[in-house]
Amino acid sequence: MRDLTTDERQELRRQLAALAVDWAQRLTGSDVDSRGRADHDPSYEEKMRAHLACMRAGEQMRHLLADVVSASAEEAVRHGAGYPELGAAIGASRQAARKRWPNLPILKRRASDWKQPPGGIGWAGESHLGYPGTA
């Protein structure tokens, strides 16, 4: 996974702004595009209402996107992700992911599923880890 480039972020921002304007128009039932048209010069009050409508639509979009992120986190967990992977996906730590989604059913891995060091067992009680050339 990679982060968006600067150009990609600008394009996504432009698309989200256009989406917010579109939904603001739908919700108010009017043309709330604050950029205006050639045949109409919007007043300050019209511009204010247009921006307020875009804010309202944008805020609702933000809440819905948070729901989408949480649903994706739940699905990722169903497919084996743990808190370290969830944190990495959102650019945060394992602890931040655990705090954000405390009730996800993260499965505890059994000790037999953990990776063993090269050379086999060699954990507690042995003087070496079984690496070649060590005694």
Side-chain angles (χ1 to χ4, degrees):
M1 235 180 320
R2 66 174 180 83
D3 288 337
L4 295 173
T5 65
T6 302
D7 290 340
E8 289 171 331
R9 287 180 64 82
Q10 289 174 349
E11 175 63 16
L12 184 55
R13 181 177 283 124
R14 187 195 61 74
Q15 289 177 8
L16 288 172
L19 191 59
V21 166
D22 179 52
W23 276 99
Q25 289 172 354
R26 290 183 193 195
L27 296 173
T28 61
S30 64
D31 183 12
V32 298
D33 190 346
S34 63
R35 293 169 285 210
R37 300 180 310 269
D39 62 340
H40 176 70
D41 187 25
S43 68
Y44 284 111
E45 186 176 333
E46 289 173 318
K47 289 179 183 180
M48 176 192 66
R49 287 184 185 165
H51 287 294
L52 292 173
C54 285
M55 287 174 60
R56 177 75 175 175
E59 191 65 18
Q60 291 180 28
M61 288 168 52
R62 185 166 63 125
H63 288 290
L64 292 170
L65 281 172
D67 293 344
V68 169
V69 171
S70 291
S72 292
E74 290 174 17
E75 286 299 316
V77 166
R78 283 192 191 108
H79 291 90
Y83 286 118
E85 292 85 5
L86 296 177
I90 62 168
S93 67
R94 172 188 60 81
Q95 295 88 346
R98 186 179 179 105
K99 185 175 181 180
R100 185 168 176 178
W101 298 291
N103 298 319
L104 287 180
I106 304 289
L107 297 176
K108 303 287 187 217
R109 291 186 180 163
R110 293 173 295 168
S112 62
D113 295 337
W114 295 346
K115 291 184 179 180
Q116 297 293 324
I121 303 200
W123 291 97
E126 296 194 17
S127 61
H128 64 89
L129 295 178
Y131 292 113
T134 60

